[in-house]
Amino acid sequence: MAEGKKVIKKQILPLLPLRGLTVFPYMILHFDVGRTKSIKALEEAMINNQLIFLVSQKDVQIDDPQEEDVYRVGTISRVKQLLKLPGDTIRVLVEGLSRAEITEITQTEPFIMSEVMEKISLEPVYDEVEMEAIIRKVHAVFEEYFQLSNKISPDTMVSLMAIEDPGQLADVIAANIILKQESKQEILNEFDPKARLEQLIVILSKEIEILEVEKSISARVKKQIDKNQREYYLREQLKAIQSELGDKDGITAEVEEYKEKIAKAALPEEVEKKALKEVDRLLKMPAGSAEGSVVRNYLDWILDLPWDKTTEERFDLKQAEEILDADHYGLEKVKERILEYLAIRQLAKDIKGPILCLAGPPGVGKTSIAKSIAKALNRNYVRMSLGGVRDEAEIRGHRRTYVGSMPGRIINALKQAGSKNALILLDEIDKMSSDFRGDPAAAMLEVLDAEQNYAFRDHYLEVPFDLSQILFLTTANNLDTIPRPLLDRMEVLHIPGYTEEEKVNIATKYLLPKQMEKHGLSKNNLKLDEKVIRDIINYYTREAGVRNLEREIANICRKAARILITNNQKSVTINSRNLEKYLGIKKYRYDMANEKDEVGIATGLAWTPVGGDTLFIEVNVMEGSGKVELTGHLGDVMKESARAAISYIRSKAEDLGIDKDFHKKLDIHIHVPEGATPKDGPSAGITMATALVSALSEVPVRKNVAMTGEITLRGRVLAIGGLKEKALAAYRAGIYTIIVPMDNKKDLDEIPENIRKKVKFVLAEHMDTVLKTALNDKQKRKNLYDIKDKGNDQIQQSSLEHVSTGIKSNLPTIEQ
Ligand code: ADP
């Protein structure tokens, strides 16, 4: 290296040791100063020409560095700015001016002063070509470094490359690159620019090597990270896709869940085996298959059934009775039967429940007493309507091979009940019918048969379910349409229609309070007395039960509530006079007894599903050739009774005072008014005969006698059904003498006490009694005829003592 001419310049300057920092000439930077000694050095610099000697500490840890703790070479710098920061720290902005070497430390306290020596070359002494080559090399290496490190901004890069002075170039580059302190110091130590540049090339090349390795490491790391991330992402996606498709993992979890549920469900052994088999099948099925959902559905059904669940039954008779009485008025037979059953259950725990069939017209409380029975026995209640069921599969389910197959209604009801000792009401069992799809009654037979139903098999379920603890109750309107074998399984309890008296009681004690509560009305809000209830019963309803009565009461409650709110009234009073305002004009009127005794008109009694009714039979005779005409929509049986009646009269014509050739000379027209309503049944026989005799003999029929009974050709009177309803109808129509067949004597007990008190029941075994009672000969003495009392025909006293027959002679006269 060529040594040029140099000037050595010495000066004494305050020294500031730097920690972890190397300041080069041409460099402008700021740093914070906190050490007292350093601050004092700064102060000193400010007093003098703002020059300070900055030199790096060898070890950053040393707080109070001595001469040997700092490098020899540093930078003479100018303090350009001081800024006091909070907490005795000073931020100082300096500009490096020239490198210098310590020659002597002149003072160490209160701050360090040192004598420093600069070496200033007066002229460049390098071979220009060589220098150019070195500079180019520096440029190339630096550019490479720039590319790799990306720590230097392109602007800095450009301005650095523009520096021409070799020494400055080396210093500025060294200042701008990230280097270990030692490396920086090495460059700083070099006073000779060329040597400095060469030093820089070495250092940069080493740095580049390091950077390259670093880069390849980070590329590798990044690749690894990328790969991990990618895998994670794909895996997440796969999971989503799998769960969308119902993946195997999902199925495994599901299968586990089913197994757990099965274990908990306490299934009978056979059922558990079957269920586990199905679970295994599920596992083998392809994800998302349709069959899978069939299996799931099946398993859900199995798990939903109350295989082992029961409610604790109530055996307390008294409590049960209280519950039954609280809900329903009357219905004594039903209540008693239930209490008997309860009593027997206590003695013989395993006794099978009776299958009661509550038979009666609509609205008599069959359904609601069933519910109340369930409550009294503390069994869950489920109602299952059988009306319109025609297919065996509805009871017993479809086999699982059918698409969309389901268990039948029994299993459905069990699921709903949630306990295996529930009370299931089979409503309207008489409305079940059969067709080509099989007979539901046959399935019902199995359900109701105590010998078989401990293992009832539903087609869908395939495994047996024990129905033996279920209490079945059935209801029917009409026993005739129930298949005989089914009827034989059941114990029929008849619930006949209610009398007006009973209805009044039901309405005042049960229906009215119930509806008022439902409508939010209190006793003070709505006032209506018994008379109003009677009017509703008589003029707005015509039914054996109380369903419409309840509906009309609800109607009144609704209207009353509205009036209370709109008129801001405290209470509403309803009486017979304003009733029409609430319920509209009267819907019904009852046929009342005839105004007077008439020839050829007799009052019969009919039974209809909505209760009993009066039935007028009119007969006209006119000259003719013996034709008989029957009008009024009469059924076959009724027509036959008419003919039987005529035959009987012909055979007895003389005894009855009738021309024995009447059948040749006269035409007879029998008519039953209200032709729109079909009428049938044999029970109008004696009524027709009476009307005929009256017409032919011109003896009027008493207007206040009603009758019912079948007639034979010999004039015998045969038993009929529905006596209670018929008696109620007669009573309602104001007729207080009723002729009934002797064979129905036993049924008189059913008739409510208050009616028995007022009505006279004449028990007839033969037509003679009927005619004696019904015909009023007083008005037609000239047609007096003689009826021979056969002895066996008697006008019977009804079971009530106070009713006298009123027969005074062999001619019928009746006390009125
Ligand atoms: P059904 O099943 O016989 O057709 P419901 O059970 O539907 O009759 O009865 C109709 C309504 O009449 C129900 O609100 C019921 O509570 C009421 N009801 C019927 N009979 C009585 C009764 N004896 N006591 C109290 N409420 C009754």
Side-chain angles (χ1 to χ4, degrees):
M1 190 192 293
E3 278 283 318
K5 212 168 167 205
K6 279 187 189 143
V7 175
I8 303 282
K9 185 181 168 195
K10 285 192 179 173
Q11 54 186 322
I12 296 178
L13 291 173
L15 182 147
L16 198 155
L18 296 171
R19 291 202 274 198
L21 196 65
T22 312
V23 176
F24 286 90
Y26 314 105
M27 193 174 169
I28 296 177
L29 85 160
H30 59 74
F31 55 87
D32 294 346
V33 180
R35 288 184 282 191
T36 333
K37 255 181 164 174
S38 305
I39 291 172
K40 288 204 165 127
L42 268 176
E43 283 166 356
E44 173 65 20
M46 296 313 284
I47 295 165
N48 282 301
N49 46 17
Q50 297 175 7
L51 292 179
I52 192 159
F53 185 65
L54 300 175
V55 64
S56 299
Q57 248 177 254
K58 290 175 184 165
D59 183 351
V60 294
Q61 305 288 349
I62 297 171
D63 256 355
D64 183 17
Q66 304 303 311
E67 188 174 351
E68 63 282 3
D69 295 328
V70 295
Y71 288 109
R72 300 304 296 172
V73 182
T75 305
I76 300 169
S77 309
R78 169 164 287 120
V79 178
K80 302 191 78 165
Q81 209 178 50
L82 286 179
L83 184 65
K84 240 184 131 28
L85 295 182
D88 293 339
T89 310
I90 291 171
R91 178 159 295 171
V92 47
L93 183 72
V94 295
E95 181 186 7
L97 297 177
S98 59
R99 56 169 51 67
E101 189 176 347
I102 300 171
T103 45
E104 195 188 343
I105 299 289
T106 56
Q107 165 191 326
T108 53
E109 294 298 334
F111 52 90
I112 308 172
M113 287 290 273
S114 62
E115 184 197 60
V116 297
M117 167 186 81
E118 285 173 82
K119 300 172 189 167
I120 306 160
S121 308
L122 289 179
E123 56 196 50
V125 283
Y126 310 112
D127 173 16
E128 270 187 33
V129 176
E130 194 191 6
M131 197 54 169
E132 180 62 28
I134 292 176
I135 288 180
R136 278 194 197 172
K137 181 68 185 166
V138 168
H139 279 177
V141 178
F142 183 59
E143 199 165 332
E144 199 176 340
Y145 175 86
F146 165 78
Q147 297 290 355
L148 283 170
S149 84
N150 67 49
K151 292 265 157 55
I152 299 162
S153 78
D155 287 350
T156 318
M157 176 72 190
V158 172
S159 61
L160 291 184
M161 296 297 228
I163 296 170
E164 284 176 3
D165 178 70
Q168 188 184 355
L169 179 67
D171 282 342
V172 174
I173 290 182
N176 274 289
I177 59 179
I178 294 166
L179 284 179
K180 282 194 297 195
Q181 193 172 5
E182 291 88 74
S183 309
K184 287 197 170 186
Q185 190 64 42
E186 271 173 40
I187 293 173
L188 192 62
N189 285 348
E190 209 54 73
F191 277 80
D192 176 39
K194 187 177 142 213
R196 208 184 301 154
L197 281 173
E198 283 170 352
Q199 183 75 33
L200 186 65
I201 291 171
V202 173
I203 289 176
L204 273 179
S205 304
K206 213 163 122 197
E207 277 303 305
I208 287 169
E209 235 175 84
I210 295 171
L211 279 176
E212 264 173 349
V213 174
E214 224 174 62
K215 196 169 171 183
S216 87
I217 292 174
S218 78
R220 262 208 325 272
V221 170
K222 186 163 182 327
K223 213 162 137 195
Q224 189 62 38
I225 290 173
D226 280 356
K227 193 173 154 219
N228 287 348
Q229 258 182 353
R230 203 176 116 83
E231 275 179 9
Y232 171 79
Y233 178 71
L234 287 177
R235 234 187 277 282
E236 285 300 301
Q237 265 197 337
L238 189 69
K239 258 193 219 164
I241 291 169
Q242 282 175 336
S243 85
E244 206 47 41
L245 293 176
D247 72 316
K248 279 287 173 200
D249 279 357
I251 288 188
T252 326
E254 196 186 4
V255 161
E256 282 313 310
E257 202 177 311
Y258 271 127
K259 281 190 178 158
E260 217 171 279
K261 279 189 194 161
I262 289 170
K264 271 195 208 144
L267 304 177
E269 207 182 312
E270 183 183 348
V271 182
E272 183 166 338
K273 249 197 224 159
K274 170 88 182 156
L276 288 174
K277 216 167 111 193
E278 292 293 324
V279 170
D280 278 347
R281 274 185 63 205
L282 191 61
L283 201 54
K284 289 185 198 117
M285 273 171 200
S289 72
E291 215 180 331
S293 73
V294 172
V295 172
R296 276 185 202 100
N297 201 9
Y298 177 81
L299 286 170
D300 290 344
W301 265 105
I302 292 272
L303 290 168
D304 278 344
L305 290 178
W307 298 98
D308 198 38
K309 295 199 188 94
T310 49
T311 53
E312 197 179 323
E313 269 177 70
R314 188 186 334 265
F315 289 111
D316 186 338
L317 283 173
K318 217 165 157 308
Q319 248 182 325
E321 190 175 356
E322 274 166 19
I323 293 174
L324 291 173
D325 284 341
D327 291 343
H328 289 86
Y329 173 87
L331 298 174
E332 302 303 343
K333 266 203 275 179
V334 182
K335 291 180 187 168
E336 263 167 36
R337 185 63 186 85
I338 293 300
L339 296 174
E340 279 166 26
Y341 162 68
L342 256 187
I344 295 167
R345 279 279 294 192
Q346 293 194 34
L347 299 174
K349 282 255 182 291
D350 287 334
I351 192 151
K352 299 272 187 295
I355 294 159
L356 300 181
C357 175
L358 308 177
V364 291
K366 300 185 295 294
T367 318
S368 66
I369 186 97
K371 209 168 178 178
S372 173
I373 291 171
K375 197 159 84 179
L377 304 182
N378 195 30
R379 288 172 180 248
N380 291 347
Y381 166 84
V382 186
R383 173 175 169 267
M384 184 176 137
S385 175
L386 293 176
V389 169
R390 334 164 126 248
D391 185 352
E392 190 188 348
E394 283 200 52
I395 306 293
R396 219 199 268 276
H398 284 284
R399 288 186 201 287
R400 262 198 297 156
T401 42
Y402 286 91
V403 178
S405 53
M406 289 265 290
R409 291 192 187 210
I410 296 284
I411 294 297
N412 248 302
L414 282 168
K415 177 179 163 185
Q416 229 179 313
S419 63
K420 65 171 186 172
N421 64 343
L423 182 151
I424 297 184
L425 178 71
L426 305 169
D427 212 4
E428 303 195 311
I429 198 161
D430 55 332
K431 305 279 188 311
M432 219 165 43
S433 55
S434 64
D435 66 8
F436 62 94
R437 284 170 293 194
D439 187 359
M444 283 318 295
L445 268 183
E446 191 187 321
V447 171
L448 298 182
D449 186 348
E451 300 302 315
Q452 292 183 49
N453 72 6
Y454 64 88
F456 170 74
R457 258 175 214 273
D458 183 277
H459 287 327
Y460 177 86
L461 231 48
E462 292 168 5
V463 284
F465 193 98
D466 180 3
L467 298 178
S468 61
Q469 289 189 47
I470 298 277
L471 184 62
F472 287 104
L473 229 62
T474 66
T475 77
N477 289 148
N478 184 0
L479 297 178
D480 298 344
T481 55
I482 303 178
R484 195 73 221 179
L486 201 53
L487 191 59
D488 285 347
R489 294 259 190 298
M490 305 188 284
E491 181 181 330
V492 177
L493 292 177
H494 287 279
I495 308 184
Y498 295 117
T499 62
E500 184 181 317
E501 248 4 87
E502 285 168 330
K503 285 184 187 176
V504 169
N505 268 314
I506 293 173
T508 43
K509 295 201 182 107
Y510 296 86
L511 306 181
L512 187 61
K514 191 161 90 183
Q515 290 302 329
M516 282 176 55
E517 196 191 324
K518 249 193 195 168
H519 289 82
L521 298 170
S522 73
K523 266 197 178 141
N524 302 330
N525 292 145
L526 177 64
K527 291 183 180 133
L528 100 184
D529 58 20
E530 200 189 292
K531 174 87 176 60
V532 177
I533 302 255
R534 271 183 212 281
D535 283 354
I536 302 174
I537 293 169
N538 287 322
Y539 302 121
Y540 294 92
T541 67
R542 179 171 255 189
E543 58 180 349
V546 292
R547 195 175 285 166
N548 288 324
L549 176 59
E550 185 169 24
R551 215 169 278 156
E552 296 297 348
I553 288 174
N555 206 350
I556 287 184
C557 290
R558 268 200 310 278
K559 300 232 157 84
R562 186 166 162 205
I563 289 174
L564 284 177
I565 298 298
T566 34
N567 300 358
N568 210 3
Q569 262 171 241
K570 280 245 151 44
S571 79
V572 171
T573 308
I574 295 168
N575 51 39
S576 293
R577 272 164 286 124
N578 67 8
L579 184 59
E580 288 202 357
K581 256 188 20 203
Y582 292 87
L583 295 183
I585 52 165
K586 292 174 178 158
K587 292 184 190 162
Y588 301 104
R589 78 179 175 83
Y590 279 97
D591 282 331
M592 298 310 276
N594 268 340
E595 301 274 298
K596 56 180 178 29
D597 298 354
E598 277 189 68
V599 171
I601 300 187
T603 311
L605 295 169
W607 180 90
T608 70
V610 296
D613 204 354
T614 50
L615 181 84
F616 294 102
I617 293 185
E618 302 175 350
V619 176
N620 257 358
V621 289
M622 48 234 132
E623 279 186 26
S625 54
K627 275 190 278 188
V628 177
E629 199 171 348
L630 296 150
T631 56
H633 213 321
L634 309 184
D636 288 343
V637 180
M638 205 155 177
K639 282 182 188 158
E640 279 166 15
S641 338
R643 292 189 192 285
I646 292 172
S647 290
Y648 160 73
I649 292 168
R650 273 181 64 189
S651 67
K652 287 271 183 163
E654 258 175 89
D655 287 350
L656 296 168
I658 296 169
D659 179 355
K660 67 177 177 18
D661 290 330
F662 76 91
H663 62 285
K664 291 182 197 152
K665 297 182 201 156
L666 300 171
D667 282 350
I668 299 174
H669 185 178
I670 302 175
H671 178 66
V672 187
E674 291 198 57
T677 344
K679 309 164 192 84
D680 204 4
S683 71
I686 62 168
T687 322
M688 287 201 251
T690 307
L692 279 164
V693 171
S694 160
L696 292 165
S697 64
E698 289 178 41
V699 179
V701 184
R702 289 177 198 281
K703 61 175 199 240
N704 46 13
V705 175
M707 61 199 81
T708 176
E710 187 178 344
I711 188 171
T712 68
L713 290 179
R714 299 271 172 273
R716 272 176 46 79
V717 179
L718 301 184
I720 45 83
L723 184 63
K724 182 184 169 191
E725 286 87 352
K726 288 176 175 174
L728 294 179
Y731 177 75
R732 222 165 28 212
I735 297 172
Y736 299 119
T737 303
I738 304 173
I739 305 172
V740 298
M742 176 67 91
D743 292 345
N744 282 103
K745 185 177 177 186
K746 61 183 189 316
D747 301 326
L748 289 173
D749 290 346
E750 262 183 31
I751 291 164
E753 182 96 20
N754 62 325
I755 292 185
R756 280 192 296 187
K757 271 189 190 147
K758 290 198 185 138
V759 172
K760 193 183 298 177
F761 289 93
V762 178
L763 292 166
E765 216 169 3
H766 195 271
M767 249 336 266
D768 296 349
T769 317
V770 177
L771 294 174
K772 263 189 214 166
T773 314
L775 295 181
N776 180 1
D777 72 313
K778 275 184 193 159
Q779 289 184 18
K780 194 106 178 156
R781 293 257 172 212
K782 60 179 163 63
N783 254 5
L784 210 92
Y785 54 90
D786 180 37
I787 297 172
K788 281 190 199 130
D789 203 336
K790 297 279 182 230
N792 60 342
D793 293 337
Q794 42 194 300
I795 293 175
Q796 279 275 348
Q797 226 176 309
S798 81
S799 52
L800 304 162
E801 282 176 358
H802 62 277
V803 177
S804 72
T805 59
I807 303 296
K808 288 188 176 134
S809 68
N810 57 352
L811 289 175
T813 50
I814 303 269
E815 256 178 17
Q816 297 187 30

